[in-house]
């Protein structure tokens, strides 16, 4: 029988696509890739270039193979490739710019990983993408106004799926449906929290009469990511629920400042929840009886 084993580089690249949604699952990554190809083919090349650039940079610089295979050096590059393909007009300079941004994102990720391996350290999440994205968007022309969708029952029902798609700048509900299927294959818990987070963000936008954010899904992607990230860290529901709330509350602040929010609200929400959880845990230990503290391995 022919060898059907997926090459290491392909597994790493597909895991990079799935890591955008905090999963390590090649089939989930394949469905994310398919979502781009079917709903926004103009962004497909940029996404691949960014992911390959991050992977090659990590390989050339000798970064840990386990991290490369997990897709940790690809997903920020993929997001940068999508962003630059969307924000900048096509030119001969665009592919080299995406390659450079993807490679730089891998280097930034490695520096973060070197310094944050401990359980008490904050994950990078998409911080390299946000930092480089803000820098590069300063050279982008103003974004054209998007067409307003009609407020209909089907559009409202599909809005949470659009929220999942907007993580990768994809507005079409089909993209969100493919991503949801990928998450379902990777983890039923993950897809449930992702859809709950997206729906919660859209309800908040609806209550604030921001119909454009509701129908396009823009109000849902940061809460969805926060719910995904925090639901993986603990079985306790209060952390992902608090993350959803914080992501929803933080997003309008970036709009008020005139800064593209990208995935910054998701990152800040997760960091705040994790810092709060650690502070709560430390306070509980400090208030415990002396006999119990003396037996705790971290306090000896």
């Amino acid at each position: 029988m022919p060898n059907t084993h997926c090459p290491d580089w392909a597994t790493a690249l597909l895991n990079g696509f799935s890591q955008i949604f905090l999963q390590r699952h090649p089939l989930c990554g394949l469905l994310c890739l398919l979502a781009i190809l079917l709903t926004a083919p103009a962004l497909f090349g940029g996404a691949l270039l960014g992911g390959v650039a991050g992977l090659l940079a990590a390989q050339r610089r000798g970064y840990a193979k386990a991290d490369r295979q997990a897709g940790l050096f690809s997903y920020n590059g993929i997001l940068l490739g999508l962003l630059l393909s969307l924000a900048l007009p096509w030119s001969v300079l665009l592919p080299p710019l995406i390659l450079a941004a993807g490679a730089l994102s891998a280097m930034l990720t490695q520096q973060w990983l070197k310094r944050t391996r401990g359980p008490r350290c904050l994950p990078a999440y998409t911080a390299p993408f946000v930092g480089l994205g803000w820098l590069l968007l300063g050279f982008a022309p103003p974004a054209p106004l998007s067409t307003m969708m009609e407020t209909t029952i089907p559009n409202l029902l599909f809005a949470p799926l659009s929220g999942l798609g907007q993580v990768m700048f994809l507005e079409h509900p089909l993209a969100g449906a493919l991503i949801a299927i990928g998450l379902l294959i990777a983890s039923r818990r993950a897809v449930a929290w992702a859809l709950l987070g997206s729906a919660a963000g859209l309800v908040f936008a609806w209550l604030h009469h921001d119909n454009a954010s509701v129908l396009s899904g823009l109000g849902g992607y940061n809460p969805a990511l926060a719910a995904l990230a925090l639901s993986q860290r603990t079985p306790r529901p209060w952390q992902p629920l608090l993350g959803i709330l914080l992501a929803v509350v933080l997003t309008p602040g970036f709009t008020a400042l005139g800064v593209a929010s990208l995935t910054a609200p998701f990152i800040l929400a997760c960091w705040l929840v994790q810092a709060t959880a650690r502070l709560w845990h430390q306070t509980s230990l400090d208030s415990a009886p002396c006999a119990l503290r003396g037996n705790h391995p971290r306090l000896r």
Side-chain angles (χ1 to χ4, degrees), residues 94-117:
L94 184 58
L97 181 60
I98 293 173
L99 288 171
L104 184 54
S105 73
M107 297 177 199
L108 292 174
T109 301
Q110 171 65 6
Q111 293 305 309
W112 196 296
L113 289 173
K114 283 173 61 177
R115 292 163 173 79
T116 59
R117 286 294 187 183

Side-chain angles (χ1 to χ4, degrees), residues 16-274:
F17 278 90
S18 68
Q19 284 286 1
I20 295 173
F21 295 90
L22 300 111
Q23 308 299 311
R24 180 180 176 173
H25 199 291
L27 186 51
C28 176
L30 181 61
L31 286 165
C32 293
L33 190 67
L34 188 61
I36 301 171
L37 181 61
L38 293 181
T39 64
L43 307 183
F44 184 74
L48 282 181
L49 272 181
V52 169
L55 184 58
L56 289 178
Q59 185 173 2
R60 290 293 298 272
R61 298 180 72 86
Y63 297 160
K65 183 177 180 180
D67 291 338
R68 297 200 311 265
Q69 288 302 110
L72 297 183
F73 298 113
S74 302
Y75 70 94
N76 281 293
I78 293 167
L79 288 171
L80 285 165
L82 288 166
L83 175 64
L84 292 173
S85 299
L86 184 67
L88 297 178
W90 166 255
S91 73
V92 294
L93 297 176
L94 184 58
L97 181 60
I98 293 173
L99 288 171
L104 184 54
S105 73
M107 297 177 199
L108 292 174
T109 301
Q110 171 65 6
Q111 293 305 309
W112 196 296
L113 289 173
K114 283 173 61 177
R115 292 163 173 79
T116 59
R117 286 294 187 183
R120 299 179 64 83
C121 297
L122 296 174
Y125 294 127
T126 52
F129 157 65
V130 172
L132 292 173
W134 280 342
L135 179 65
L136 294 168
L137 283 176
F139 302 97
L145 295 176
S146 59
T147 56
M148 182 63 184
M149 295 176 62
E150 185 180 356
T151 305
T152 63
I153 297 299
N155 285 341
L156 290 174
L157 292 176
F158 288 137
L161 291 176
S162 296
L164 292 186
Q166 286 288 5
V167 174
M168 298 195 299
F169 307 99
L170 307 175
E171 184 176 338
H172 200 289
L174 175 60
L178 290 170
I179 293 166
I181 294 171
L183 288 174
L184 180 63
I185 293 171
S187 167
R188 287 179 292 180
R189 177 180 172 85
V191 72
W193 275 110
L195 288 173
L196 175 62
S198 180
L202 297 175
V203 168
F204 179 84
W206 179 264
L207 293 175
H208 285 75
H209 308 289
D210 189 358
N211 291 358
S213 293
V214 175
L215 298 173
S216 65
L218 285 172
Y221 72 93
N222 273 297
L225 284 174
L228 268 171
L230 294 169
S231 65
Q232 291 181 341
R233 296 182 64 89
T234 174
R236 300 171 182 172
W238 73 266
Q239 290 192 24
L241 290 174
L242 180 57
I244 291 171
L245 177 62
L246 287 172
V248 163
V249 171
L250 289 169
T251 299
F254 291 92
T255 305
L257 293 172
V259 179
S261 61
L262 300 179
T263 54
F266 144 64
I267 299 169
L268 290 177
C270 289
W271 286 350
L272 286 170
V273 171
Q274 290 169 43

